[in-house]
Amino acid sequence: MKSIGIVGCGAIGRALIAAVTSGQLAVRIAGVTSRTEKSARDFLGTFASPPPYMSLSELITAADLIVEAAGGAVVQSLAEQAFAAGKDLMVISVGALLEHPEIIKKSRQSGCRLYVPSGAIAGLDGIKSACVGAVSHVTMTTRKPPNGLEGAPYLVQNAISLVGLQEEKEVFSGTAREACRGFPANVNVSAAVSLAGIGPDRTRIRIIAVPGLKRNCHDIEVEGEFGRLHVHIENVPSENPKTGKLTALSIIRSVQDVVDPVRIGT
């Protein structure tokens, strides 16, 4: 049975452990690690039969597939170590791939697979197919409740406060690359859309804070020689308001697809 190692102790890690424990996901969890051992052990202590805690080097040695769920700051170093050990890597913090495109190059050079799940978005298969031909534009509009955007570097740097917001407010408009730098915990979906399509500098992103909104909403529009594609998604947030429940479900399915010889869709 293929084994996975989980890097990170949050909503994604919890969902993966629950899926394996329930038998929904036919893999073995080799172990879990985090930036601090205490946080990892506290996290594992919430499970009746937790997988073992391991150091990062132990985890990479023990697992067939490393699943990153710890934030973009760890991705570059993690990729270097995983590929050097001949291990495959699944990256959840997709925005890091825009900052470090050498990770994609290294995957191709080493032959180690780099998996980028759809996460909180849908329609990547259509975008990939459309962009084989000529495409005039790819735009994405994200609407989130204000508390799902709090603390974003772009808001801090530009002194944009969402406290007490009474009506919807556009807080960002720019490229996918700029969006991922300014909102690293919020718009990994825009990185995935840009990588599937016409790139991070041609993909346009708008981010709107909407008071009272209960879901994270995304609208993607693609137009080209194939016609027009419009995708609308409304995600229920997980216990982490920055992460939609669909993200965790997407990771579970992506790991399932790694071990399943049958592949549906582009």
Side-chain angles (χ1 to χ4, degrees):
M1 182 178 288
K2 201 172 187 74
S3 62
I4 64 170
I6 303 172
V7 180
C9 298
I12 301 300
R14 184 173 299 280
L16 283 169
I17 293 172
V20 171
T21 301
S22 68
Q24 180 183 12
L25 189 54
V27 298
R28 179 176 61 85
I29 299 179
V32 174
T33 195
S34 183
R35 278 168 282 195
T36 60
E37 181 175 345
K38 182 181 184 305
S39 65
R41 292 195 181 280
D42 289 346
F43 171 78
L44 292 169
T46 63
F47 295 92
S49 299
Y53 167 80
M54 292 182 175
S55 68
L56 180 58
S57 59
E58 291 172 333
L59 190 74
I60 290 174
T61 298
D64 300 311
L65 170 67
I66 310 302
V67 180
E68 174 277 314
V74 309
V75 173
Q76 182 185 27
S77 175
L78 179 61
E80 289 178 357
Q81 295 177 70
F83 294 159
K87 300 302 176 72
D88 296 337
L89 174 65
M90 183 173 290
V91 171
I92 313 306
S93 306
V94 190
L97 299 181
L98 303 190
E99 292 296 310
H100 300 285
E102 70 274 10
I103 294 173
I104 296 173
K105 182 178 180 181
K106 184 63 176 178
S107 169
R108 289 171 172 150
Q109 289 175 338
S110 66
C112 298
R113 291 193 174 276
L114 175 62
Y115 297 99
V116 180
S118 297
I121 208 69
L124 292 189
D125 55 346
I127 296 171
K128 287 164 63 177
S129 299
C131 290
V132 172
V135 166
S136 59
H137 74 265
V138 178
T139 60
M140 177 175 165
T141 301
T142 288
R143 289 177 170 83
K144 286 198 171 191
N147 67 340
L149 296 167
E150 287 178 355
Y154 182 88
L155 299 184
V156 173
Q157 292 162 11
N158 290 278
I160 298 173
S161 174
L162 302 180
V163 176
L165 191 68
Q166 297 297 313
E167 57 185 25
E168 71 173 52
K169 176 183 178 67
E170 180 178 286
V171 297
F172 175 84
S173 178
T175 68
R177 188 184 302 279
E178 294 165 338
C180 288
R181 287 174 178 166
F183 299 83
N186 301 102
V187 289
N188 279 303
V189 287
S190 68
V193 167
S194 72
L195 289 171
I198 56 177
D201 298 312
R202 292 180 58 202
T203 304
R204 303 296 301 178
I205 308 296
R206 294 174 66 223
I207 301 175
I208 301 172
V210 183
L213 190 65
K214 301 300 184 183
R215 299 180 178 184
N216 300 324
C217 301
H218 307 287
D219 285 273
I220 305 168
E221 187 173 287
V222 183
E223 192 154 1
E225 65 175 277
F226 74 96
R228 180 174 175 271
L229 169 70
H230 183 196
V231 180
H232 176 74
I233 308 103
E234 297 185 9
N235 289 328
V236 176
S238 66
E239 61 266 29
N240 178 352
K242 295 180 173 63
T243 303
K245 288 188 177 181
L246 184 61
T247 302
L249 298 175
S250 170
I251 310 313
I252 292 169
R253 181 56 195 241
S254 295
V255 173
Q256 180 180 329
D257 283 348
V258 170
V259 299
D260 192 338
V262 177
R263 185 62 53 87
I264 309 297
T266 300

Coordinates of all heavy atoms in Angstrom, one line a residue, residues 41-132:
R41 N 2.8 17.2 18.0 CA 2.3 16.2 19.0 C 1.0 16.6 19.6 O 0.1 15.7 19.9 CB 3.4 16.0 20.1 CG 4.7 15.3 19.6 CD 5.6 14.9 20.7 NE 6.8 14.3 20.2 CZ 6.9 13.0 19.7 NH1 5.8 12.2 19.7 NH2 8.1 12.5 19.3
D42 N 0.8 17.8 19.8 CA -0.6 18.3 20.3 C -1.6 18.0 19.3 O -2.7 17.5 19.7 CB -0.5 19.8 20.6 CG 0.3 20.2 21.8 OD1 0.7 19.3 22.6 OD2 0.6 21.4 21.9
F43 N -1.4 18.2 18.1 CA -2.3 17.9 17.0 C -2.6 16.4 17.0 O -3.8 16.0 16.9 CB -1.7 18.3 15.7 CG -2.5 17.9 14.4 CD1 -3.6 18.5 14.0 CD2 -2.0 16.8 13.7 CE1 -4.3 18.1 12.9 CE2 -2.6 16.4 12.5 CZ -3.8 17.1 12.1
L44 N -1.6 15.6 17.0 CA -1.8 14.1 16.9 C -2.5 13.6 18.2 O -3.2 12.6 18.1 CB -0.4 13.4 16.8 CG 0.3 13.7 15.4 CD1 1.7 13.1 15.5 CD2 -0.5 13.0 14.3
G45 N -2.3 14.3 19.3 CA -3.0 13.8 20.5 C -4.5 14.0 20.5 O -5.2 13.4 21.4
T46 N -5.0 14.6 19.5 CA -6.5 14.8 19.3 C -7.1 13.6 18.6 O -8.4 13.5 18.5 CB -6.9 16.0 18.6 OG1 -6.4 16.0 17.2 CG2 -6.3 17.3 19.3
F47 N -6.3 12.6 18.2 CA -6.8 11.4 17.5 C -6.8 10.2 18.4 O -5.8 10.1 19.2 CB -6.0 11.2 16.2 CG -6.2 12.2 15.2 CD1 -5.2 13.3 15.1 CD2 -7.2 12.2 14.2 CE1 -5.3 14.3 14.2 CE2 -7.3 13.2 13.3 CZ -6.4 14.2 13.2
A48 N -7.7 9.3 18.2 CA -7.7 8.1 19.0 C -6.6 7.2 18.7 O -5.9 6.6 19.6 CB -9.1 7.3 18.8
S49 N -6.3 7.0 17.4 CA -5.2 6.2 16.9 C -4.3 7.0 15.9 O -4.5 6.8 14.7 CB -5.7 4.9 16.3 OG -6.5 4.1 17.2
P50 N -3.5 7.9 16.4 CA -2.8 8.8 15.5 C -1.6 8.1 14.8 O -1.1 7.2 15.3 CB -2.3 9.9 16.5 CG -2.1 9.2 17.8 CD -3.2 8.2 17.8
P51 N -1.3 8.6 13.6 CA -0.1 8.2 13.0 C 1.1 8.7 13.8 O 0.9 9.6 14.6 CB -0.1 8.8 11.6 CG -1.1 10.0 11.7 CD -2.0 9.6 12.8
P52 N 2.3 8.2 13.6 CA 3.4 8.7 14.4 C 3.9 10.1 14.0 O 3.8 10.5 12.8 CB 4.5 7.6 14.1 CG 4.2 7.1 12.7 CD 2.7 7.1 12.6
Y53 N 4.5 10.7 15.0 CA 5.3 12.0 14.7 C 6.6 11.6 14.2 O 7.3 10.6 14.7 CB 5.4 12.8 15.9 CG 6.4 13.9 15.7 CD1 6.1 15.1 15.1 CD2 7.8 13.7 16.2 CE1 7.0 16.1 14.9 CE2 8.7 14.7 16.0 CZ 8.4 15.9 15.3 OH 9.3 16.9 15.1
M54 N 7.1 12.3 13.2 CA 8.5 12.1 12.6 C 9.1 13.4 12.3 O 8.4 14.4 12.1 CB 8.4 11.3 11.3 CG 8.0 9.8 11.4 SD 8.0 9.0 9.8 CE 7.6 7.3 10.3
S55 N 10.4 13.4 12.4 CA 11.1 14.6 11.9 C 11.0 14.6 10.3 O 10.6 13.6 9.7 CB 12.6 14.5 12.2 OG 13.3 13.5 11.4
L56 N 11.3 15.8 9.7 CA 11.1 15.9 8.3 C 11.9 14.9 7.5 O 11.4 14.2 6.6 CB 11.4 17.3 7.8 CG 11.2 17.6 6.3 CD1 9.8 17.2 5.9 CD2 11.6 19.0 6.0
S57 N 13.2 14.7 7.9 CA 14.0 13.8 7.2 C 13.5 12.3 7.4 O 13.6 11.6 6.4 CB 15.5 13.9 7.7 OG 15.5 13.6 9.1
E58 N 13.0 12.0 8.6 CA 12.5 10.6 8.8 C 11.2 10.4 7.9 O 11.0 9.4 7.3 CB 12.1 10.5 10.3 CG 13.3 10.4 11.2 CD 12.9 10.4 12.6 OE1 11.8 10.9 13.0 OE2 13.7 9.8 13.5
L59 N 10.4 11.5 7.8 CA 9.2 11.4 7.1 C 9.5 11.2 5.6 O 8.8 10.3 4.9 CB 8.4 12.7 7.2 CG 7.0 12.7 6.7 CD1 6.1 11.9 7.6 CD2 6.4 14.1 6.6
I60 N 10.4 11.9 5.0 CA 10.8 11.8 3.6 C 11.3 10.4 3.3 O 11.0 9.8 2.3 CB 11.8 12.9 3.2 CG1 11.1 14.3 3.2 CG2 12.4 12.6 1.8 CD1 12.0 15.4 3.0
T61 N 12.1 9.9 4.2 CA 12.6 8.5 4.1 C 11.5 7.5 4.1 O 11.5 6.5 3.3 CB 13.6 8.2 5.2 OG1 14.7 9.1 5.1 CG2 14.1 6.8 5.0
A62 N 10.5 7.7 5.0 CA 9.5 6.6 5.2 C 8.3 6.7 4.2 O 7.7 5.6 4.0 CB 8.9 6.8 6.6
A63 N 8.0 7.8 3.6 CA 6.8 7.9 2.8 C 7.1 7.9 1.3 O 8.2 8.2 0.8 CB 6.1 9.3 3.1
D64 N 6.2 7.4 0.5 CA 6.3 7.4 -1.0 C 5.9 8.7 -1.5 O 6.5 9.2 -2.5 CB 5.3 6.3 -1.6 CG 5.7 4.9 -1.1 OD1 6.8 4.5 -1.1 OD2 4.7 4.2 -0.6
L65 N 4.9 9.4 -0.9 CA 4.4 10.7 -1.4 C 4.4 11.6 -0.2 O 3.8 11.3 0.8 CB 3.0 10.5 -2.0 CG 2.2 11.8 -2.3 CD1 2.9 12.6 -3.4 CD2 0.8 11.5 -2.6
I66 N 5.0 12.8 -0.4 CA 5.0 13.8 0.6 C 3.9 14.8 0.3 O 3.8 15.3 -0.8 CB 6.3 14.6 0.7 CG1 7.5 13.6 0.7 CG2 6.3 15.5 1.9 CD1 7.5 12.6 1.9
V67 N 3.0 15.1 1.3 CA 1.9 16.0 1.1 C 2.2 17.3 1.9 O 2.2 17.2 3.1 CB 0.5 15.4 1.5 CG1 -0.6 16.4 1.3 CG2 0.3 14.1 0.7
E68 N 2.4 18.4 1.2 CA 2.7 19.7 1.9 C 1.3 20.3 2.2 O 0.5 20.6 1.3 CB 3.5 20.6 1.0 CG 3.7 22.0 1.5 CD 2.5 22.9 1.2 OE1 2.1 23.0 0.0 OE2 2.1 23.6 2.1
A69 N 1.1 20.6 3.5 CA 0.0 21.3 4.0 C 0.4 22.3 5.1 O -0.3 22.4 6.1 CB -1.1 20.4 4.4
A70 N 1.5 23.0 4.9 CA 2.1 23.8 6.0 C 2.3 25.2 5.6 O 2.9 26.0 6.4 CB 3.4 23.1 6.4
G71 N 1.9 25.6 4.4 CA 2.1 27.0 4.0 C 3.3 27.2 3.0 O 4.2 26.4 3.0
G72 N 3.2 28.2 2.2 CA 4.2 28.4 1.1 C 5.6 28.5 1.6 O 6.6 28.2 0.8
A73 N 5.9 29.0 2.8 CA 7.3 29.2 3.3 C 8.1 27.9 3.3 O 9.3 28.0 3.2 CB 7.3 29.8 4.7
V74 N 7.5 26.8 3.4 CA 8.2 25.5 3.5 C 8.4 24.8 2.1 O 9.2 23.9 2.0 CB 7.5 24.5 4.4 CG1 7.2 25.1 5.8 CG2 6.3 23.9 3.8
V75 N 7.7 25.3 1.1 CA 7.7 24.5 -0.2 C 9.0 24.4 -0.9 O 9.4 23.3 -1.3 CB 6.6 25.2 -1.1 CG1 6.7 24.5 -2.5 CG2 5.2 25.0 -0.5
Q76 N 9.8 25.4 -1.0 CA 11.0 25.4 -1.7 C 12.0 24.4 -1.1 O 12.5 23.5 -1.8 CB 11.7 26.7 -1.8 CG 13.0 26.7 -2.6 CD 13.7 28.1 -2.5 OE1 13.6 28.8 -1.5 NE2 14.5 28.4 -3.5
S77 N 12.2 24.5 0.2 CA 13.1 23.5 0.9 C 12.6 22.1 0.9 O 13.3 21.2 0.7 CB 13.3 24.0 2.3 OG 14.1 23.1 3.1
L78 N 11.3 22.0 1.1 CA 10.7 20.6 1.1 C 10.8 20.0 -0.3 O 11.1 18.8 -0.3 CB 9.2 20.8 1.5 CG 8.4 19.5 1.5 CD1 8.9 18.5 2.5 CD2 6.9 19.8 1.8
A79 N 10.6 20.7 -1.3 CA 10.7 20.2 -2.7 C 12.2 19.7 -2.9 O 12.4 18.6 -3.5 CB 10.3 21.2 -3.7
E80 N 13.1 20.5 -2.5 CA 14.5 20.1 -2.7 C 14.8 18.8 -2.0 O 15.5 17.9 -2.6 CB 15.4 21.2 -2.2 CG 15.4 22.5 -3.0 CD 16.3 23.6 -2.4 OE1 16.9 23.3 -1.3 OE2 16.5 24.7 -3.0
Q81 N 14.4 18.7 -0.8 CA 14.7 17.5 0.0 C 13.9 16.3 -0.5 O 14.5 15.2 -0.6 CB 14.3 17.7 1.5 CG 15.2 18.8 2.1 CD 14.8 19.0 3.6 OE1 14.9 18.2 4.4 NE2 14.2 20.2 3.8
A82 N 12.7 16.5 -0.9 CA 11.9 15.3 -1.4 C 12.4 14.8 -2.7 O 12.6 13.6 -2.9 CB 10.4 15.8 -1.6
F83 N 12.7 15.7 -3.7 CA 13.2 15.3 -5.0 C 14.6 14.7 -4.9 O 14.9 13.8 -5.6 CB 13.2 16.5 -6.0 CG 11.8 17.0 -6.3 CD1 11.6 18.3 -6.8 CD2 10.7 16.2 -6.1 CE1 10.4 18.7 -7.1 CE2 9.4 16.7 -6.4 CZ 9.2 17.9 -6.9
A84 N 15.4 15.2 -4.0 CA 16.8 14.7 -3.8 C 16.7 13.2 -3.3 O 17.6 12.4 -3.6 CB 17.5 15.5 -2.8
A85 N 15.6 12.9 -2.5 CA 15.4 11.5 -2.0 C 14.6 10.7 -3.0 O 14.3 9.5 -2.7 CB 14.7 11.6 -0.7
G86 N 14.3 11.3 -4.2 CA 13.5 10.5 -5.2 C 12.1 10.3 -4.8 O 11.4 9.4 -5.3
K87 N 11.5 11.2 -4.0 CA 10.1 11.1 -3.6 C 9.2 12.1 -4.4 O 9.6 13.2 -4.7 CB 10.0 11.3 -2.1 CG 10.8 10.4 -1.3 CD 10.4 8.9 -1.5 CE 11.3 7.9 -0.8 NZ 11.0 7.9 0.7
D88 N 8.0 11.7 -4.5 CA 7.0 12.5 -5.2 C 6.4 13.5 -4.1 O 6.5 13.3 -2.9 CB 5.8 11.7 -5.7 CG 6.2 10.8 -6.9 OD1 7.3 11.1 -7.5 OD2 5.5 9.8 -7.1
L89 N 5.9 14.7 -4.6 CA 5.5 15.7 -3.8 C 4.1 16.3 -4.2 O 3.9 16.5 -5.4 CB 6.5 16.9 -3.8 CG 6.2 18.2 -3.0 CD1 6.0 17.9 -1.5 CD2 7.2 19.2 -3.2
M90 N 3.2 16.5 -3.3 CA 1.9 17.2 -3.6 C 2.0 18.5 -2.8 O 2.2 18.6 -1.6 CB 0.8 16.3 -3.1 CG -0.6 16.9 -3.4 SD -2.0 15.8 -3.0 CE -1.8 14.5 -4.2
V91 N 1.8 19.6 -3.6 CA 1.9 20.9 -3.1 C 0.5 21.5 -3.0 O -0.2 21.7 -4.0 CB 2.8 21.8 -3.9 CG1 2.7 23.3 -3.5 CG2 4.2 21.3 -3.8
I92 N 0.1 21.9 -1.7 CA -1.2 22.5 -1.5 C -1.1 24.1 -1.6 O -1.9 24.8 -2.1 CB -1.8 22.2 -0.1 CG1 -1.7 20.7 0.1 CG2 -3.2 22.7 0.0 CD1 -2.3 19.8 -0.9
S93 N 0.1 24.6 -1.2 CA 0.4 26.0 -1.2 C 0.9 26.4 -2.6 O 2.1 26.7 -2.8 CB 1.4 26.4 -0.1 OG 0.9 26.0 1.1
V94 N 0.0 26.4 -3.6 CA 0.4 26.5 -5.0 C 1.1 27.8 -5.3 O 1.9 27.8 -6.2 CB -0.9 26.3 -5.9 CG1 -0.5 26.1 -7.3 CG2 -1.7 25.1 -5.4
G95 N 0.7 28.8 -4.6 CA 1.3 30.1 -4.9 C 2.8 30.1 -4.8 O 3.5 30.9 -5.5
A96 N 3.4 29.2 -4.0 CA 4.9 29.1 -3.9 C 5.5 28.7 -5.2 O 6.7 29.0 -5.4 CB 5.2 28.1 -2.8
L97 N 4.8 28.0 -6.0 CA 5.3 27.6 -7.3 C 5.5 28.8 -8.3 O 6.3 28.7 -9.2 CB 4.4 26.5 -8.0 CG 4.2 25.2 -7.2 CD1 3.3 24.3 -7.9 CD2 5.6 24.6 -6.8
L98 N 4.7 29.8 -8.1 CA 4.9 31.0 -8.9 C 6.2 31.8 -8.4 O 6.9 32.4 -9.3 CB 3.7 32.0 -8.7 CG 2.4 31.4 -9.1 CD1 1.3 32.5 -9.1 CD2 2.4 30.7 -10.4
E99 N 6.5 31.7 -7.1 CA 7.7 32.4 -6.6 C 9.0 31.5 -6.9 O 10.1 32.0 -7.0 CB 7.6 32.6 -5.1 CG 6.6 33.6 -4.7 CD 6.9 35.0 -5.3 OE1 8.1 35.5 -5.1 OE2 6.1 35.7 -5.9
H100 N 8.8 30.2 -7.0 CA 9.9 29.3 -7.2 C 9.6 28.3 -8.4 O 9.4 27.1 -8.2 CB 10.1 28.5 -5.9 CG 10.5 29.3 -4.7 ND1 11.7 30.0 -4.5 CD2 9.7 29.7 -3.7 CE1 11.7 30.6 -3.4 NE2 10.5 30.5 -2.9
P101 N 9.6 28.9 -9.6 CA 9.4 28.0 -10.8 C 10.4 26.9 -10.9 O 10.2 25.9 -11.7 CB 9.4 29.0 -11.9 CG 10.2 30.2 -11.4 CD 9.9 30.3 -10.0
E102 N 11.5 27.1 -10.3 CA 12.6 26.0 -10.4 C 12.1 24.7 -9.8 O 12.6 23.6 -10.1 CB 13.9 26.5 -9.7 CG 13.8 26.6 -8.2 CD 13.3 27.9 -7.6 OE1 12.8 28.7 -8.5 OE2 13.4 28.1 -6.4
I103 N 11.1 24.7 -8.9 CA 10.5 23.5 -8.4 C 9.9 22.7 -9.5 O 10.1 21.4 -9.6 CB 9.5 23.8 -7.3 CG1 10.2 24.5 -6.1 CG2 8.8 22.5 -6.9 CD1 9.2 25.0 -5.1
I104 N 9.2 23.3 -10.4 CA 8.6 22.6 -11.5 C 9.7 22.0 -12.4 O 9.6 20.9 -12.9 CB 7.6 23.6 -12.3 CG1 6.5 24.0 -11.4 CG2 7.1 22.9 -13.6 CD1 5.6 25.1 -12.0
K105 N 10.7 22.8 -12.7 CA 11.8 22.4 -13.5 C 12.5 21.2 -12.9 O 12.8 20.2 -13.6 CB 12.8 23.6 -13.7 CG 14.0 23.2 -14.6 CD 14.9 24.4 -14.8 CE 16.1 24.1 -15.7 NZ 17.0 25.3 -15.8
K106 N 12.7 21.3 -11.6 CA 13.4 20.2 -10.9 C 12.6 18.9 -10.9 O 13.2 17.8 -11.1 CB 13.7 20.6 -9.5 CG 14.5 19.6 -8.7 CD 15.9 19.3 -9.2 CE 16.7 18.4 -8.4 NZ 18.0 18.1 -8.9
S107 N 11.3 19.0 -10.8 CA 10.4 17.8 -10.9 C 10.6 17.1 -12.3 O 10.8 15.9 -12.3 CB 9.0 18.2 -10.7 OG 8.1 17.2 -11.1
R108 N 10.6 17.9 -13.3 CA 10.8 17.3 -14.7 C 12.2 16.7 -14.9 O 12.3 15.7 -15.5 CB 10.5 18.4 -15.7 CG 9.0 18.8 -15.8 CD 8.7 20.0 -16.6 NE 7.3 20.1 -16.8 CZ 6.7 21.3 -17.0 NH1 7.4 22.4 -17.0 NH2 5.3 21.4 -17.1
Q109 N 13.2 17.4 -14.3 CA 14.6 16.9 -14.4 C 14.8 15.6 -13.7 O 15.4 14.7 -14.1 CB 15.6 17.9 -14.0 CG 15.7 19.2 -14.9 CD 16.6 20.2 -14.3 OE1 16.8 20.3 -13.1 NE2 17.1 21.1 -15.1
S110 N 14.2 15.5 -12.5 CA 14.4 14.4 -11.6 C 13.5 13.2 -11.9 O 13.8 12.1 -11.6 CB 14.2 14.8 -10.1 OG 12.8 15.1 -9.9
G111 N 12.4 13.5 -12.6 CA 11.4 12.4 -12.8 C 10.5 12.2 -11.6 O 9.6 11.4 -11.7
C112 N 10.7 12.9 -10.5 CA 9.8 12.9 -9.4 C 8.5 13.7 -9.7 O 8.6 14.8 -10.2 CB 10.4 13.4 -8.1 SG 11.9 12.5 -7.6
R113 N 7.4 13.1 -9.4 CA 6.1 13.8 -9.8 C 5.8 14.9 -8.8 O 6.0 14.8 -7.6 CB 5.0 12.7 -9.8 CG 5.1 11.8 -10.9 CD 3.8 11.0 -11.2 NE 3.9 10.1 -12.3 CZ 3.6 10.6 -13.6 NH1 3.2 11.8 -13.8 NH2 3.7 9.7 -14.6
L114 N 5.3 16.0 -9.4 CA 4.8 17.1 -8.6 C 3.3 17.2 -8.9 O 2.9 17.5 -10.0 CB 5.5 18.4 -9.1 CG 5.1 19.7 -8.4 CD1 5.3 19.7 -6.9 CD2 5.8 20.9 -9.1
Y115 N 2.5 17.0 -7.8 CA 1.1 17.1 -7.9 C 0.5 18.4 -7.4 O 0.9 18.8 -6.3 CB 0.4 15.9 -7.1 CG 0.8 14.5 -7.6 CD1 1.8 13.8 -7.0 CD2 0.2 14.0 -8.7 CE1 2.2 12.5 -7.4 CE2 0.5 12.7 -9.2 CZ 1.5 12.0 -8.5 OH 1.9 10.7 -8.9
V116 N -0.3 19.0 -8.2 CA -0.9 20.3 -7.8 C -2.5 20.1 -7.9 O -3.1 20.1 -8.9 CB -0.5 21.4 -8.8 CG1 -1.2 22.7 -8.4 CG2 1.0 21.6 -8.8
P117 N -3.1 19.8 -6.7 CA -4.5 19.6 -6.7 C -5.3 20.8 -7.1 O -4.8 22.0 -7.0 CB -4.8 19.2 -5.3 CG -3.5 18.8 -4.7 CD -2.5 19.6 -5.4
S118 N -6.6 20.6 -7.5 CA -7.5 21.7 -7.9 C -7.8 22.6 -6.6 O -8.0 23.8 -6.7 CB -8.8 21.2 -8.5 OG -8.5 20.5 -9.7
G119 N -7.8 21.9 -5.5 CA -8.2 22.7 -4.2 C -9.6 23.2 -4.3 O -10.5 22.5 -4.6
A120 N -9.7 24.5 -3.9 CA -11.0 25.1 -3.8 C -11.6 25.5 -5.1 O -12.6 26.2 -5.1 CB -10.9 26.3 -2.8
I121 N -11.0 25.1 -6.2 CA -11.5 25.6 -7.5 C -12.0 24.5 -8.3 O -11.8 23.3 -8.0 CB -10.3 26.4 -8.3 CG1 -10.9 27.4 -9.2 CG2 -9.4 25.4 -8.9 CD1 -11.5 28.6 -8.5
A122 N -12.7 24.8 -9.4 CA -13.2 23.8 -10.4 C -12.9 24.3 -11.8 O -12.7 25.5 -12.0 CB -14.7 23.5 -10.2
G123 N -12.9 23.4 -12.7 CA -12.8 23.8 -14.1 C -11.4 23.8 -14.7 O -11.2 24.2 -15.8
L124 N -10.4 23.3 -13.9 CA -9.0 23.3 -14.4 C -8.9 22.4 -15.6 O -8.1 22.7 -16.5 CB -8.1 22.9 -13.3 CG -7.9 23.8 -12.1 CD1 -6.7 23.3 -11.2 CD2 -7.6 25.2 -12.5
D125 N -9.7 21.4 -15.7 CA -9.6 20.5 -16.9 C -10.0 21.3 -18.1 O -9.4 21.2 -19.2 CB -10.5 19.3 -16.7 CG -12.0 19.6 -16.4 OD1 -12.2 20.8 -16.0 OD2 -12.8 18.7 -16.5
G126 N -11.1 22.1 -18.0 CA -11.5 22.9 -19.2 C -10.5 24.0 -19.5 O -10.3 24.3 -20.7
I127 N -9.9 24.6 -18.5 CA -8.9 25.7 -18.7 C -7.7 25.1 -19.4 O -7.2 25.6 -20.4 CB -8.5 26.4 -17.4 CG1 -9.7 27.1 -16.8 CG2 -7.4 27.3 -17.6 CD1 -9.5 27.6 -15.4
K128 N -7.3 23.9 -19.0 CA -6.1 23.3 -19.6 C -6.4 23.0 -21.1 O -5.6 23.2 -22.0 CB -5.8 22.0 -18.9 CG -5.1 22.2 -17.5 CD -5.1 20.9 -16.6 CE -4.3 19.8 -17.2 NZ -4.3 18.6 -16.3
S129 N -7.6 22.4 -21.3 CA -7.9 22.1 -22.7 C -8.0 23.3 -23.6 O -7.5 23.4 -24.7 CB -9.3 21.3 -22.7 OG -9.2 20.1 -22.0
A130 N -8.7 24.4 -23.1 CA -8.9 25.6 -23.8 C -7.6 26.3 -24.2 O -7.4 26.8 -25.3 CB -9.8 26.6 -23.0
C131 N -6.6 26.2 -23.3 CA -5.4 26.9 -23.5 C -4.4 26.1 -24.4 O -3.3 26.6 -24.7 CB -4.7 27.2 -22.2 SG -5.6 28.5 -21.3
V132 N -4.8 25.0 -24.9 CA -4.1 24.3 -26.0 C -4.2 25.2 -27.2 O -3.3 25.2 -28.1 CB -4.5 22.9 -26.2 CG1 -3.9 22.3 -27.4 CG2 -4.2 22.0 -25.0

